[in-house]
Structures are given as structure tokens and as C-alpha cells.
RNA sequence: GGCGACGUACCCAAGUGGUAAGGGAGAGGUCUGCAAAACCUUUAUGCGGCGGUUCGAAUCCGCCCGUCGCCUCCA
């Protein structure tokens, strides 16, 4: 029997119990980036959030198929009808092929996500690789009477789809009333949106179609690719709140009009990132790329910072806030190192069905963690449960009646699953196996020299060794039993 | 103008009817040659303001103030 998961469905604006379309499986599609620039901290929040959600579904036993697109064509800088393709704009400026821009920033994106500990999606389909399918979907919509061609453009006729506006809570009348005057006259209704766009002379990224050379409209790729890999009706569609309208609204219209079936069961939207209280924008100069952030902070610290707030809450990025998160995370790492020392060579197998309650009540902390995660992926709550446990563990270790190596090993593995495997906030293998390297032998050599100096009460020399090591990023810690351990920071 | 969120201590942030999680920072203490780490104590009679419903509200309702987002490309 699986854990019951509740999630906030944007479509109904309330928390709902999760029932998969197919027993034991979860199909999830998340809107990916348009690769024309380096990813910023907002992408970080979005994809870290969904990464944690996917990891949690897998943890409770679902077989997850996670699809996230790469948009490598089609978005315009201005509005739906004017302006340049963002990718082409960059390409023209640098006088290179648009696909070079795409490759450069797609690699940059995956590199940043890897560093954030984001597990790669199972499928990362690209829009340009699915032009044929997009044309097919457009043809189908025309055939079914939901779309019309006008001068090489194809538009979706919003008036044919009464449900339009349900997701975003908008009404077509309001949209039309408040809309800017549409300069183009070939639309039947200003709210209609493009499925296929005619390529003007000089437009580089173009494909032949029944309506002449052109390129797909903005929303079409997500409908096409999500249904291709997940089926016409699937479980979860995620994305940033800023995409709720018009993007997701249009996806629903296109998809349901084409298939006559419900498109997505649960819509999940993550909230936005602000920097020092205001939205990121290039004009304000407060645009923080992930690569910028990683210069100041460990990527896992950035991840931890993101997960310390709820995915549906806005997140305000500031150096102070991330720094504070990093110090908190150090506590977790310290405890893990202590447990590893106590565990020695032993490794614990975690049986979540029968967790011990003594000397540390692992069962209780697990239940708290699980309840938080199952309640709309409340990662801050889950982290709080882990930190309560840390205090408990520290007290136990410090009390003298040290826990057995078996229990330390079990506890280590236990935290490794909750914080490491699911939340992804523990450093991965390389950092944790300090092991027997020439580096650690050398540090131990200095520890020995310092120990001799201390025995001779030459504290000046002892402190000098310690501070020299510290300046190299090696922190020494004298234990009660007279031994000295070290940790390497940064 | 329309739609929608949010406002919890010095900072970050959970909590959606039963009497304020967690992290950072600060203060005092234990331990230590000194540090570091850790632990203990402490820091919101109050959750933007004013009313209302209730035995009881941060949590529900109304009004006001403030911030943010969407309505146009955006995670």
C-alpha cells in the first residue's frame, strides 16, 4: 500500500489526493527552458522543486516517467505576433547558426542542473525534433474545426473552446477588453493564438508545411511532445506560475480540442524568485544566473536554500539568506561525518517498515518527514523534521553513552535516504569519502606535529599550525578524548 | 483597469479552527590551554491594521494598508 499523496491542483485551486492514471505509474511533464541564455536562479527553483517531487514519487514506489522539453525554437521577444525569435536574435548578433546558440545554452543548462543535483529527465525532447508531429496536430485541429488558416498563419479559434480560461481564471471577454489592439487583421478574435506562423523573409529557422514555410507557435510543442511520450491524458504537468497563462491555458485548449479527452489531471505551478524583493529582469540589472550564484555558494547550498521554502511560495534570493542556509546545512554535514566515524566499516540497511524508536526515535522523525512530503511536497517541513532529529543525535553522541556502531550506521543510511536520495541536499560520493588519500595523510602528519607541540605546551606553534591549515580550508577539531579530526571546506 | 497570491521574531521560513516547527543571527552558560564543533538556556501573550463569527482564530468572514505576480516572451 502506497503513501497517500496530496497535491495542490491549480486547475481546481485546492489540495487533492493523488490518484494515478495508471496504477503504480506517474507521467509528469514539466516545461523546460528556452535555451538562448544561461539559466538563472528562477530556473533553479523550478527544476529543483520538480526534481524533489519526482524523487519523492519514486521513493514511495511509483514508476515515474519524467519528460521535460528543451525549447529550441519559436519564442518571440515581443508578443505573439511581433519581434524576433530569441534564439535567432542571439545568433544574428554573433553571426552564427541558431543551433550553435541552442547547443551552447542547452549544455550550460544541463551543467547547472547537474551541479544542483537535479536528476536528468527521462526524456528531454526538443521542439525542432518534433516539427512533423506539430504540423500533424495543427492539421488535426483544422480538420476538427478548432483552427483556421490565414495568410500562411494558423490560429486556434478560442471561441470554439468554451473551457478556455479555466486554468488561469481568466475570461475571454476580460482578455479582449483589456487587450492591446491587435495590429494584425487576420485573426478572427484577438484572443486567438498561433499554432503555426509564416516565416518572413530572413527568418532562419523555418520548415515547410501545408501552409508554406514557417515555424510552430509557442504553445504547440508542449502539447505535442507531452502527449507523444505520456499519452493523451497524463498525470501531472508542471511549470512556473508565469506560464499558467497563456501558455498552459493554450496547451489545454489545443490538446483537448484535438483529442476530445482531458489533457492533464493535476497542474502544478511553482512560484517565482525575486532578488532582494523585486522581480529579476535584465533592465533592472538584478539578473542572477546560476553560474553567478555558484561562484559565491556551493550549488548544493543553493539547492538547500530553494527547498527550505515551499515550491508554491515566492522565494526572495539574497546573499544573506543563502549564506544562512549554508550554515544550517553545515550542521547536517557535521552530523553525517560524526555518524560515519561512529559507524566505522559498518553500513546499515534501512527497513522503513520497522524503524527503531531507541535510542533515537527514527520512526517518529520518519513519520514527520513523510507527512510533510506527502502534504503537497512540503520540503521545509521535511527539513525541519530532519533538523529536530539532528539535535537528538548530537545530544546522544555528546552524552557519552555513545550509540553502537550498528545504530550509527543505520542512522547514517536513514538520513542518507531522506536528505540525500530524496531531497538531494547531501553532497554526493566524492565529498563524503574523504578516505585514504595522500591529502589526508599529510593533514594527519600536521595534526601529529601539533599534538606534540600541545603536549609541550607550545601553544603558539600549535595555533599557528591550526590557522595555517585553516587558511587552506582545513578545519581542525579537538575532541574530548584527545584526538583531533579535520574537515575540508570548500 | 481585470485576475490571483502573499504579509508570521533582527533575517529566512513551516503552520489553514485548539492555543506559535525548523534554520541563521544575537545574548548567557557547559566543555576547551585557546579555538572549533556540540549541548543547555534565552529572543513573537503574539502571527500587517481594524472589526466580526466561535467556547476558542495566525488559521474562517468583511473592510483597510502594504508587497508581489499574471494579463505581453519569461521557470
Amino acid at each position: 500500500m502506497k503513501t497517500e499523496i496530496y497535491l495542490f491542483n491549480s486547475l481546481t485551486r485546492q489540495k487533492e489526493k493523488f490518484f494515478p492514471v495508471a496504477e503504480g505509474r506517474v507521467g509528469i511533464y514539466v516545461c523546460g527552458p528556452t535555451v538562448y541564455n544561461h539559466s538563472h536562479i528562477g530556473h533553479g527553483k523550478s527544476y529543483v522543486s520538480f526534481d524533489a517531487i519526482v524523487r519523492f514519487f519514486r521513493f514511495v514506489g511509483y514508476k515515474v516517467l519524467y519528460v521535460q522539453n528543451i525549447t529550441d525554437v519559436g519564442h518571440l521577444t515581443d508578443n505573439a505576433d511581433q519581434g524576433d525569435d530569441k534564439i535567432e536574435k542571439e545568433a544574428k548578433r554573433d553571426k552564427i547558426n541558431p543551433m550553435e546558440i541552442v547547443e551552447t545554452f542547452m549544455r550550460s543548462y544541463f551543467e547547472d542542473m547537474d551541479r544542483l543535483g537535479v536528476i536528468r529527465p527521462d526524456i528531454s525532447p526538443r521542439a525542432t525534433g518534433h516539427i512533423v508531429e506539430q504540423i500533424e496536430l495543427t492539421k488535426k485541429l483544422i480538420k476538427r474545426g478548432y483552427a483556421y488558416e490565414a495568410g500562411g498563419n494558423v490560429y486556434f479559434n478560442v471561441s470554439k473552446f468554451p473551457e478556455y480560461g479555466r486554468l488561469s481564471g481568466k475570461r475571454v471577454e476580460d482578455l479582449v477588453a483589456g487587450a492591446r489592439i491587435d495590429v494584425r487583421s487576420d485573426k478572427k478574435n484577438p484572443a486567438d493564438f498561433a499554432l503555426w506562423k509564416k516565416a518572413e523573409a530572413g527568418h532562419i529557422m523555418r520548415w515547410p508545411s501545408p501552409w508554406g514555410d514557417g515555424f510552430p507557435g509557442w504553445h504547440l510543442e508542449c502539447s505535442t511532445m507531452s502527449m507523444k511520450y505520456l499519452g493523451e491524458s497524463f498525470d501531472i504537468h508542471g511549470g512556473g506560475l508565469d506560464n499558467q497563462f497563456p501558455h498552459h491555458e493554450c496547451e489545454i485548449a489545443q490538446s483537448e480540442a484535438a483529442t476530445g479527452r482531458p489533457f492533464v489531471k493535476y497542474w502544478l505551478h511553482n512560484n517565482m524568485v525575486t532578488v532582494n524583493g523585486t522581480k529579476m529582469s535584465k533592465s533592472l540589472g538584478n539578473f542572477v544566473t546560476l553560474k553567478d550564484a555558484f561562484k559565491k555558494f556551493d550549488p548544493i547550498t543553493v539547492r538547500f536554500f530553494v527547498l527550505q521554502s515551499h515550491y508554491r511560495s515566492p522565494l526572495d534570493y539574497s546573499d544573506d539568506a543563502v549564506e544562512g542556509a549554508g550554515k544550517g546545512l553545515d550542521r547536517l554535514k557535521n552530523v553525517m561525518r560524526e555518524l560515519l566515524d561512529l559507524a566505522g566499516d559498518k553500513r546499515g540497511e534501512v527497513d522503513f517498515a520497522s524503524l527503531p524508536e531507541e535510542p533515537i526515535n527514527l520512526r517518529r522523525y520518519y513519520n514527520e518527514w513523510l507527512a510533510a512530503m506527502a502534504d503537497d511536497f512540503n520540503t521545509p517541513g521535511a527539513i525541519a523534521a530532519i533538523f529536530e532529529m539532528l539535535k537528538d543525535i548530537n545530544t546522544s553522541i555528546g552524552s557519552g553513552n555513545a550509540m553502537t556502531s550498528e545504530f550509527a550506521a543505520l542512522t547514517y543510511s536513514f538520513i542518507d535516504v531522506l536528505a540525500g536520495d530524496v531531497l538531494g541536499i547531501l553532497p554526493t560520493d566524492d565529498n563524503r569519502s574523504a578516505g585514504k588519500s595522500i591529502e589526508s595523510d599529510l593533514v594527519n602528519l600536521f595534526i601529529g606535529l601539533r599534538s606534540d607541540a600541545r603536549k609541550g605546551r607550545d601553544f603558539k606553534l600549535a595555533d599557528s599550525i591550526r590557522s595555517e591549515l585553516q587558511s587552506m580550508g582545513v578545519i581542525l577539531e579537538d575532541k574530548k578524548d584527545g584526538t583531533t579530526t579535520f574537515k575540508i571546506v570548500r
Side-chain angles (χ1 to χ4, degrees), chain A residues 293-305:
Chain A
F294 296 166
K295 281 177 197 157
K296 287 183 185 167
F297 306 106
D298 183 275
I300 297 299
T301 295
V302 175
R303 181 186 176 97
F304 180 68
F305 170 69

Side-chain angles (χ1 to χ4, degrees), chain A residues 28-31 50 234 236-240 248 266-270:
Chain A
I28 177 167
Y29 184 92
V30 173
C31 286
F50 285 107
F234 60 94
I236 296 173
H237 189 129
H248 294 156
Y266 308 97
W267 284 88
L268 266 42
H269 289 99
N270 65 274

Side-chain angles (χ1 to χ4, degrees), chain A residues 5 21 56-57 120 227 264 287 323 345 390 394 448:
Chain A
I5 295 176
V21 172
F56 183 65
F57 271 115
R120 293 199 181 192
M227 291 195 289
V264 169
F287 212 81
E323 208 172 299
D345 294 334
L390 295 187
N394 274 324

Side-chain angles (χ1 to χ4, degrees), chain A residues 146-445:
Chain A
Y146 286 101
Y148 57 92
E149 191 250 330
N153 296 305
V154 181
Y155 297 102
F156 186 92
N157 189 339
V158 169
S159 66
K160 299 272 186 181
F161 193 79
E163 287 275 276
Y164 191 81
R166 185 178 159 213
L167 175 69
S168 54
K170 296 184 188 304
R171 291 178 309 178
V172 176
E173 309 86 79
D174 295 339
L175 293 171
V176 173
R180 288 135 216 236
I181 304 304
D182 195 45
V183 284
R184 301 180 79 110
S185 56
D186 53 1
K187 280 187 186 178
K188 289 181 180 171
N189 183 319
D192 290 352
F193 57 91
L195 297 171
W196 185 264
K197 295 199 64 63
K198 177 184 181 179
E200 304 296 340
H203 198 99
I204 306 167
M205 298 172 102
R206 55 168 65 213
W207 290 264
S209 81
W211 318 284
D213 274 13
F215 53 94
W218 171 32
H219 318 294
L220 195 60
E221 58 174 283
C222 286
S223 288
T224 304
M225 299 191 289
S226 61
M227 291 195 289
K228 172 164 181 167
Y229 298 108
L230 296 171
E232 292 181 348
S233 290
F234 60 94
D235 299 293
I236 296 173
H237 189 129
L241 200 52
D242 52 348
N243 271 337
Q244 189 174 40
F245 186 90
H247 187 53
H248 294 156
E249 196 72 71
C250 295
E251 275 188 57
I252 292 173
Q254 291 165 351
S255 306
E256 301 196 348
T259 67
R261 302 183 56 190
F263 176 46
V264 169
K265 215 167 164 187
Y266 308 97
W267 284 88
L268 266 42
H269 289 99
N270 65 274
N271 217 312
M272 315 306 286
V273 174
T274 54
V275 174
N276 298 315
T278 51
K279 190 191 175 178
M280 273 190 286
S281 80
K282 282 181 178 167
S283 56
L284 287 172
N286 64 347
F287 212 81
V288 180
T289 68
L290 288 167
K291 289 185 192 338
D292 290 337
F294 296 166
K295 281 177 197 157
K296 287 183 185 167
F297 306 106
D298 183 275
I300 297 299
T301 295
V302 175
R303 181 186 176 97
F304 180 68
F305 170 69
V306 166
L307 293 176
Q308 254 193 323
S309 81
H310 190 87
Y311 78 94
R312 283 194 290 114
S313 299
L315 179 66
D316 189 43
Y317 179 92
S318 68
D319 285 353
D320 284 352
V322 183
E323 208 172 299
K327 285 179 183 171
L329 186 57
D330 284 342
R331 285 175 52 119
L332 175 60
K333 293 191 220 166
N334 281 334
V335 168
M336 290 301 270
R337 202 169 39 242
E338 298 259 11
L339 287 171
L340 209 52
D341 285 347
L342 287 170
D345 294 334
K346 296 195 174 64
R347 287 291 173 275
E349 275 296 309
V350 186
D351 177 6
F352 287 92
S354 62
L355 288 166
E357 295 177 15
E358 295 288 337
I360 310 285
N361 196 338
L362 297 187
R363 175 191 298 276
R364 180 191 136 209
Y365 293 118
Y366 174 64
N367 287 339
E368 288 180 5
W369 176 92
L370 188 66
M373 288 301 287
D375 180 15
D376 198 30
F377 317 105
N378 188 344
T379 54
I383 289 170
I386 290 171
F387 274 87
E388 279 186 71
M389 173 168 56
L390 295 187
K391 180 171 275 190
D392 220 353
I393 293 168
N394 274 324
T395 305
S396 176
I397 291 176
S399 71
N401 42 343
M403 61 177 73
T404 63
S405 55
E406 285 80 10
F407 192 83
L410 172 67
T411 305
Y412 179 88
S413 302
F414 176 69
I415 298 174
D416 199 35
V417 173
L418 304 194
D421 294 351
V422 181
L423 294 174
I425 55 176
L426 288 173
T428 41
D429 21 333
D430 38 321
N431 290 28
R432 71 175 69 160
S433 57
K436 298 283 178 227
S437 64
I438 183 89
E439 196 177 54
S440 66
D441 287 344
L442 284 171
V443 174
N444 281 320
L445 177 64

Side-chain angles (χ1 to χ4, degrees), chain A residues 33 46 86 88 96 104 124 187 295 298 300 304 354 399 467-468 481:
Chain A
S46 187
K86 281 188 279 198
E88 285 207 13
I96 57 177
T104 299
S124 299
K187 280 187 186 178
K295 281 177 197 157
D298 183 275
I300 297 299
F304 180 68
S354 62
S399 71
S467 69
E468 285 294 321
D481 61 7

